[in-house]
Amino acid sequence: MLKFAQPQLDEDTIQAVAAVLRSNWIATGPNVTELERALSESFSGRPSRVLTSATGAMEIALQVCGIGPGDEVITSAQSFFSAMNMIVKVGATPVFVDCELHTRAIDLAQVEAAITPRTKAIMPTHFPGALGDIDALYALAKRHQLRVIEDAALVQGSYWKDQPVGGFGDIATFSFHPNKNMTTIEGGAIVVASEDEAKLVDLLRFHGIKRLPDDTRDVAVAAGKFNMSDVSAVIGVHQLKQLPRFLVQRAALVERYFEKFPPVPGVVLPPQGVPRQSWNMFNVLIPYEQFGHTRKSFRAALQEQGVGTGMSYEACHLTTVGRGYGYTDGQFPIAERIARETVTLPLHASMTAEDVDHVCAVVAQILKA
Ligand SMILES: Cc1ncc(COP(=O)(O)O)c(C=O)c1O
């Protein structure tokens, strides 16, 4: 069975985990410090912190920006559910807009039209293969004095011009879930705009605790608990060293997909040829009905032939939570089309070119049949 995503954990990493377990220091410790140092280096020296998930990082990002009840945050209808959920969780209102078809980047004209006096931030999601126009995004944010929280869960290692995502801009969050470009089992990171904001993250990720001069503790803000264990962090330290190799491997597999994907009418492939993009997923849009299929039957046919698939993503505004804010079908046609037609084909650093050829042959056969 070819899984659509899987982590690659080598023997050195497994040995390093065993060493941490034997050290008896398994909660937050020196490996968290080392992972944060190495991540910050990869993000052009910007203040970086690790957390238990990207979702937690997004919640903390909103809190760092002081966003809460009465505030609006503009986000894409086409994304994973984390942005919507965390906006709601901090008490703010999610304001959805549509995205672009190929890049899936948030539609900046619609963002601008959605700005009200209550808007505090834009929360775009970046997709593999091409970022949106980042210069235009930040120019827009600057014009309207808005914070930007980039959901960069899928694009660790992608570049905008000469700068890595996370290495510039305002706030960015990353995921280290096993399906992502590198893993800490569960985990995530936040890159913030200043050392003061990083100190606020330290507070917000661990009960809001501040140490007082007399050795007792104060709770400065009522906060949750999002600190990463050293067991997870040591995996991250090893994964981050291997990330460049993982990304080269993923990019080569994507090249092969572009070469071998059957010429099916109506199919939309991801953006091709943009330099220095990381490839977490290979998402394809297929008009299943034209081939006598539903997405469910298409995915089942692939599964029968040993090919696992994923689905990224449903349209956020049409979830029960989204509809609760008054959103309805047909409002964001591109996000909704992606939600109907998308399928994620296998892509991970343990795959071979022959695996890609096999997936493409099976897709061709199913759509022909
Ligand atoms: C675009 C995007 N953002 C955020 C997340 C949340 O990541 P995590 O599972 O680390 O909370 C995911 C996870 O799949 C994602 O795909």
Side-chain angles (χ1 to χ4, degrees):
M1 183 74 202
L2 184 57
K3 296 199 190 99
F4 84 93
Q6 75 179 39
Q8 198 184 71
L9 296 164
D10 64 5
E11 195 48 41
D12 279 358
T13 308
I14 292 165
Q15 291 303 324
V17 168
V20 172
L21 289 173
R22 289 194 186 98
S23 78
N24 287 330
W25 193 304
I26 57 177
T28 303
N31 286 291
V32 166
T33 307
E34 171 53 19
L35 180 56
E36 289 179 342
R37 188 205 59 75
L39 279 170
S40 174
E41 194 176 286
S42 78
F43 299 134
S44 311
R46 300 185 76 223
S48 309
R49 294 291 188 273
V50 296
L51 300 157
T52 40
S53 70
T55 306
M58 292 159 89
E59 181 175 355
I60 286 182
L62 289 157
Q63 291 172 326
V64 164
C65 295
I67 291 167
D71 297 332
E72 294 174 357
V73 179
I74 301 174
T75 193
S76 177
Q78 180 48 237
S79 179
F80 187 59
F81 311 122
S82 300
M84 170 180 74
N85 282 347
M86 294 308 102
I87 294 165
V88 172
K89 200 172 169 211
V90 300
T93 302
V95 175
F96 293 110
V97 296
D98 213 345
C99 62
E100 293 164 7
L101 183 67
H102 282 97
T103 61
R104 304 188 179 196
I106 197 164
D107 183 321
L108 292 179
Q110 291 195 19
V111 170
E112 186 136 40
I115 293 170
T116 74
R118 288 142 80 101
T119 307
K120 290 289 175 333
I122 310 168
M123 229 167 158
T125 296
H126 300 314
F127 284 84
L131 305 170
D133 186 338
I134 301 291
D135 291 342
L137 166 72
Y138 274 101
L140 172 63
K142 197 171 170 200
R143 263 200 317 281
H144 295 276
Q145 293 181 304
L146 301 176
R147 298 297 305 256
V148 177
I149 301 168
E150 300 177 42
D151 176 357
L154 304 174
V155 297
Q156 190 180 4
S158 280
Y159 278 69
W160 173 251
K161 297 184 174 166
D162 288 335
Q163 293 177 297
V165 172
F168 63 89
D170 196 355
I171 294 183
T173 57
F174 296 86
S175 174
F176 305 138
H177 179 272
N179 287 356
K180 299 301 186 289
N181 290 345
M182 61 166 265
T183 191
T184 58
I185 308 180
E186 296 289 355
I190 184 168
V191 183
V192 287
S194 67
E195 287 300 337
D196 280 350
E197 287 192 347
K199 286 197 187 110
L200 189 49
V201 174
D202 291 339
L203 210 61
L204 291 167
R205 73 174 164 181
F206 198 71
H207 311 286
I209 289 176
K210 239 184 193 162
R211 301 217 166 248
L212 298 175
D214 70 353
D215 243 12
T216 62
R217 295 167 295 180
D218 181 29
V219 176
V221 293
K225 187 170 189 285
F226 300 90
N227 58 307
M228 184 183 276
S229 80
D230 245 34
V231 179
S232 279
V234 80
I235 297 173
V237 168
H238 281 254
Q239 288 270 297
L240 186 57
K241 286 184 188 146
Q242 296 171 80
L243 182 63
R245 178 171 64 73
F246 294 160
L247 295 183
V248 166
Q249 176 71 2
R250 284 172 175 277
L253 294 165
V254 164
E255 275 312 302
R256 189 81 170 190
Y257 266 121
F258 281 124
E259 216 178 288
K260 294 293 174 92
F261 199 83
V264 183
V267 161
V268 178
L269 297 180
Q272 189 179 4
V274 181
R276 301 186 86 180
Q277 300 304 298
S278 66
W279 284 95
N280 181 250
M281 301 191 289
F282 194 77
N283 292 318
V284 176
L285 303 185
I286 299 175
Y288 305 96
E289 289 73 18
Q290 283 179 32
F291 304 97
H293 271 284
T294 61
R295 176 168 50 202
K296 192 173 173 186
S297 70
F298 175 76
R299 293 183 70 194
L302 277 160
Q303 177 85 17
E304 246 171 55
Q305 306 233 33
V307 177
T309 57
M311 205 177 56
S312 299
Y313 301 98
E314 295 85 350
C316 289
H317 68 293
L318 299 181
T319 60
T320 298
V321 169
R323 287 182 192 275
Y325 287 87
Y327 291 96
T328 54
D329 303 73
Q331 265 183 290
F332 304 119
I334 297 176
E336 291 172 34
R337 175 175 170 194
I338 293 169
R340 273 194 315 275
E341 297 189 351
T342 192
V343 66
T344 305
L345 299 177
L347 182 64
H348 52 78
S350 303
M351 279 171 64
T352 63
E354 290 68 38
D355 290 329
V356 174
D357 295 353
H358 174 63
V359 174
C360 292
V362 172
V363 168
Q365 179 213 320
I366 293 169
L367 294 183
K368 214 186 289 161

